């Protein structure tokens, strides 16, 4: 299973570059520029507004939606609720990143409510996952030193990446947005998640070869995403069957 997944990820990267899908991101305000730059570098087209009065129009023009709870307030909740409803009406795939849902009971409850509305993919860290009950039909992506992706009994572990990734704020948010970009290609959600984690992980390895620390790693990562080739994914992918569970 693992070699075909790497090949599918490589082909999805080719399709993404050809199609340039538009991804609407309801994103943590701290990391909007990194996420927008990362999407653009890979070949997608980002949009970022969360204003309740216009978010439905933006989602209507997008190919996929990424919902990140990050800097959450009443206005952003209203925007998120409208965006998710519009994505459902238009049958557009969406991804949920329940950022920091382990910090606040109110945020945990809100994340659980959104998860019940069935995003195609949930991307979270271990602490966030521990608080959420995963529906069997939603692809689970747990990012960390090793990225784990599961759908029912099917699960893989991806060990690409570099420790400097964790020293740059927003790289986890970026991974969710990249997964949404691959979802925009009408790819199976499991394959889209694998492609995103491989793309970011392989790019991070390349960026680390020239970076001297987090400050130089961030622009090097954007360059590496821009220069990433399907052959890079085929050659560098480190995917294994995962029996440890999320």
């Amino acid at each position: 299973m693992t070699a075909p997944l790497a090949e599918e990820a490589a082909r999805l990267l080719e399709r993404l570059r050809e199609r340039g899908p538009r991804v609407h991101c309801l994103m943590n305000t701290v990391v909007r520029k990194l996420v927008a730059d990362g999407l653009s570098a890979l070949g997608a087209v980002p949009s970022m507004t969360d204003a309740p009065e216009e978010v439905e129009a933006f989602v209507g023009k997008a190919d996929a939606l990424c919902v990140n709870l990050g800097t959450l307030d009443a206005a952003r909740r209203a925007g998120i609720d409208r965006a998710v409803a519009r994505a459902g009406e238009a049958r557009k795939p969406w991804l949920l990143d329940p950022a920091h849902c382990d910090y606040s009971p109110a945020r945990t409850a809100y994340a659980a409510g959104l998860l019940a509305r069935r995003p195609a993919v949930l991307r979270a860290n271990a602490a966030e996952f521990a608080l959420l009950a995963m529906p069997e039909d939603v692809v689970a992506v747990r990012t960390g030193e090793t990225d784990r992706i599961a759908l029912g009994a099917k699960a893989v572990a991806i060990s690409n990446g570099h420790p400097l990734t964790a020293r740059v704020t927003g790289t986890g948010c970026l991974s969710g947005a990249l997964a949404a970009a691959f979802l925009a290609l009408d790819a199976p959600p499991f394959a889209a998640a694998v492609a995103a984690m491989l793309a970011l992980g392989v790019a991070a390895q390349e960026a680390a070869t020239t970076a001297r620390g987090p400050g130089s790693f961030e622009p090097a990562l954007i360059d590496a995403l821009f220069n990433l080739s399907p052959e890079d994914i085929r050659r560098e992918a480190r995917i294994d069957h995962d029996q440890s569970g999320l």
Side-chain angles (χ1 to χ4, degrees):
M1 179 177 73
T2 56
L5 281 173
E7 178 60 32
E8 187 169 15
R11 291 177 180 174
L12 284 173
L13 177 60
E14 291 178 337
R15 285 175 56 194
L16 189 147
R17 294 264 168 78
E18 291 169 357
R19 288 182 52 180
R22 181 176 294 276
V23 181
H24 190 70
C25 300
L26 300 177
M27 188 54 58
N28 182 337
T29 57
V30 176
V31 302
R32 282 177 176 171
K33 186 177 188 306
L34 172 65
V35 171
D37 287 348
L39 283 169
S40 296
L42 198 65
V45 180
S47 56
M48 291 281 173
T49 185
D50 55 15
E53 67 272 17
E54 61 180 5
V55 69
E56 291 164 300
F58 273 77
V59 173
K61 293 180 180 298
D63 299 298
L65 171 67
C66 178
V67 174
N68 181 298
L69 300 191
T71 45
L72 192 61
D73 57 25
R76 290 199 72 234
R77 284 177 185 246
I80 288 171
D81 290 341
R82 292 187 182 189
V84 170
R86 182 70 182 99
E89 292 168 0
R91 298 184 180 275
K92 299 195 179 191
W94 65 286
L95 175 143
L96 174 62
D97 184 337
H100 302 309
C101 73
D102 55 321
Y103 284 29
S104 155
R107 188 175 298 220
T108 304
Y110 186 58
L114 288 172
L115 186 56
R117 295 169 75 173
R118 294 301 196 276
V121 176
L122 175 81
R123 188 225 69 92
N125 63 30
E128 294 157 355
F129 259 112
L131 297 176
L132 299 172
M134 281 299 301
E136 291 187 358
D137 56 345
V138 175
V139 173
V141 181
R142 192 187 79 187
T143 52
E145 184 175 347
T146 298
D147 297 320
R148 303 185 185 281
I149 303 169
L151 178 62
K154 181 169 63 172
V156 295
I158 296 176
S159 55
N160 294 98
H162 191 274
L164 278 173
T165 307
R167 298 298 188 97
V168 175
T169 300
T171 52
C173 302
L174 174 57
S175 71
L178 296 182
F182 285 109
L183 283 173
L185 304 174
D186 299 320
F190 191 90
V194 169
M197 297 306 109
L198 284 176
L200 187 61
V202 172
Q205 291 168 196
E206 175 59 28
T209 64
T210 58
R212 299 180 61 187
S216 54
F217 179 78
E218 180 176 333
L221 179 62
I222 300 302
D223 286 347
L225 286 169
F226 178 78
N227 290 303
L228 185 69
S229 71
E231 185 53 38
D232 292 331
I233 290 179
R234 294 186 180 100
R235 183 181 63 252
E236 300 293 340
R238 298 201 292 265
I239 313 176
D240 296 298
H241 293 282
D242 184 23
Q243 298 179 340
S244 65
L246 294 174

